[in-house]
Amino acid sequence: MVAHKAIHFYLLTPLLLQILKIHAKVPAIIVFGDSSVDAGNNNQISTILKSNFQPYGRDFNGGQPTGRFSNGRIPTDFISEAMGIKPIIPAYLDPTYDIKDFATGVCFASAGTGYDNATSDVLSVIPLWKELEYYKEYQNELRDYLGNDKANEVLSEALYLISIGTNDFLENYYVIPGRSSEFSIEEYQNFLVGIAGDFITALYQLGARKVSIGGLPPMGCLPLERTMNILYGSGCIEEYNDVAKNFNKKLQGLVAKLKMELGVQLVLSNVYDILSEMIQKPNSFGFEDAATACCGTGLFEMGYLCDKLINPFTCSDASKYVFWDSFHPTEKSNAIIADHVLKTSLAQFLM
Ligand SMILES: *[C@@H]1O[C@H](CO)[C@@H](O)[C@H](O)[C@H]1NC(C)=O
């Protein structure tokens, strides 16, 4: 009798898991940001910042270059899968998907964009305010598709993931004259945090209740930045890492303030420490190289410079590398980053 019961329990477990998934608190994941989470929106706009060709996507579902800046999936895909929703989050502008697909997850992110309008201008990509306009359009489509009540329920129970900010510093402030003559680095950070606050508030006013804002990575350790530091031994640019840490502290302050003011479930997803650890101790994660990237020479290439047709040097096994191109992690790194935030900042949304 006891054995019989035990078998029953064992057989029921997958079914129970299935039921738990169906009743998961998060019915959809809605993504805003830059190339760290762009699933292919840039394929549909006029910009040179694209990745919809080989070797990008080499390890994505049998080798599909989707416009993700990696050899495979990006963190938001892994998060969606772990939450029992679906293994990839489609790009809103991708014409092969429609509202049926977007009802459980949609990505508005655009590679190369930033909090600052001047950042998205650099490479003619989608500014953050425009991502929000697309989101409003999506809300209307979702209401047509599901009906008002059901759509509003999905929109308020959905998890909103924001990952943006690196380009404001590395593509704009530190390389283009303009913002750096207008703002000190401290003032510029405050300017960006102000935009982040307005963005989260706008999302809240549109119905969002569960929001994660991503902190900056150790951006001085991206292979491209190390290459810029080549005269000083190709180490990380500590000045940029310090800015990232300082900015993350400011975001933490913003999160505390908005939680009080709005009563929104808002978390800061910190990727700085886990990525730092991977860079400092690559071997303990099974990586062999954390300083150079897999694509091309590993020193400076991304986007078209990685194109298989012009660059024969790309490594054969991306999983040995922390970085896929000079600016973006490999799929393996993305999985580790996703796992980390799922266990920390996002854990409260899994219950
Ligand atoms: C960015 O541009 C949009 C559209 O022109 C504008 O509404 C918004 O206020 C601008 N943001 C900032 C911070 O200047």
Side-chain angles (χ1 to χ4, degrees):
M1 207 50 204
V2 170
H4 185 70
K5 265 191 182 159
I7 287 165
H8 256 255
F9 179 73
Y10 185 75
L11 288 176
L12 269 175
T13 305
L15 181 63
L16 277 173
L17 278 175
Q18 202 56 43
I19 290 166
L20 285 172
K21 279 179 182 178
I22 291 163
H23 291 277
K25 280 222 173 121
V26 169
I29 292 180
I30 297 171
V31 181
F32 298 94
D34 60 19
S35 60
S36 57
V37 292
D38 184 354
N41 286 309
N42 276 21
N43 303 353
Q44 309 301 327
I45 62 170
S46 286
T47 174
I48 56 155
L49 194 59
K50 293 185 193 239
S51 60
N52 53 345
F53 39 79
Q54 286 285 345
Y56 284 96
R58 199 172 68 178
D59 301 306
F60 187 98
N61 198 16
Q64 290 174 40
T66 58
R68 286 169 176 78
F69 280 79
S70 189
N71 57 306
R73 290 191 285 165
I74 48 181
T76 38
D77 296 320
F78 288 108
I79 291 167
S80 171
E81 182 171 64
M83 292 199 157
I85 303 175
K86 55 185 176 184
I88 64 161
I89 300 183
Y92 184 63
L93 298 183
D94 186 335
T96 60
Y97 296 99
D98 64 21
I99 191 65
K100 282 195 290 301
D101 309 294
F102 300 145
T104 53
V106 59
C107 167
F108 299 102
S110 173
T113 200
Y115 287 112
D116 183 358
N117 286 336
T119 303
S120 47
D121 286 347
V122 176
L123 293 171
S124 306
V125 297
I126 304 169
L128 187 58
W129 65 266
K130 185 85 181 279
E131 292 188 25
L132 196 68
E133 291 301 308
Y134 283 129
Y135 170 66
K136 291 179 194 166
E137 186 182 281
Y138 162 76
Q139 285 201 330
N140 292 332
E141 291 163 3
L142 195 69
R143 291 188 174 115
D144 286 345
Y145 176 62
L146 295 176
N148 259 332
D149 291 355
K150 181 68 189 157
N152 290 342
E153 189 187 315
V154 169
L155 295 168
S156 67
E157 292 292 321
L159 176 60
Y160 294 76
L161 302 175
I162 307 163
S163 176
I164 193 167
T166 304
N167 298 317
D168 292 305
F169 298 97
L170 300 188
E171 186 194 317
N172 183 359
Y173 190 88
Y174 284 116
V175 291
I176 307 246
R179 289 312 194 195
S180 52
S181 55
E182 208 177 326
F183 296 110
S184 72
I185 187 64
E186 191 73 27
E187 287 165 350
Y188 191 57
Q189 292 176 60
N190 293 338
F191 171 67
L192 300 181
V193 169
I195 297 170
D198 291 345
F199 184 77
I200 294 165
T201 304
L203 268 185
Y204 176 83
Q205 284 163 353
L206 288 163
R209 292 295 178 268
K210 302 173 182 176
V211 183
S212 155
I213 179 142
L216 292 179
M219 57 189 187
C221 296
L222 299 176
L224 183 64
E225 305 310 316
R226 285 188 183 232
T227 301
M228 304 233 187
N229 215 16
I230 206 156
L231 295 177
Y232 304 94
S234 299
C236 301
I237 303 184
E238 290 309 331
E239 182 190 351
Y240 294 175
N241 285 349
D242 290 343
V243 166
K245 282 188 277 196
N246 193 47
F247 188 76
N248 291 344
K249 270 196 214 122
K250 290 177 187 287
L251 281 181
Q252 191 66 66
L254 175 73
V255 164
K257 174 171 159 275
L258 290 179
K259 270 169 75 173
M260 262 202 337
E261 283 176 11
L262 304 174
V264 59
Q265 272 187 277
L266 175 63
V267 296
L268 176 68
S269 287
N270 180 1
V271 299
Y272 190 100
D273 297 334
I274 185 75
L275 201 48
S276 277
E277 234 181 283
M278 286 155 68
I279 292 164
Q280 279 158 23
K281 291 178 268 164
N283 296 337
S284 61
F285 295 86
F287 294 112
E288 290 174 11
D289 190 335
T292 66
C294 171
C295 136
T297 61
L299 297 175
F300 61 88
E301 296 96 332
M302 71 161 144
Y304 283 114
L305 296 178
C306 286
D307 194 326
K308 200 176 169 183
L309 298 174
I310 61 166
N311 199 326
F313 300 112
T314 296
C315 81
S316 57
D317 182 0
S319 70
K320 292 181 177 157
Y321 288 76
V322 172
F323 292 99
W324 163 249
D325 69 14
S326 65
F327 225 69
H328 305 100
T330 53
E331 176 177 60
K332 179 170 162 182
S333 300
N334 286 336
I336 295 170
I337 291 165
D339 185 61
H340 176 76
V341 295
L342 280 159
K343 285 179 178 148
T344 53
S345 55
L346 302 185
Q348 64 173 278
F349 302 116
L350 285 162
M351 292 182 282

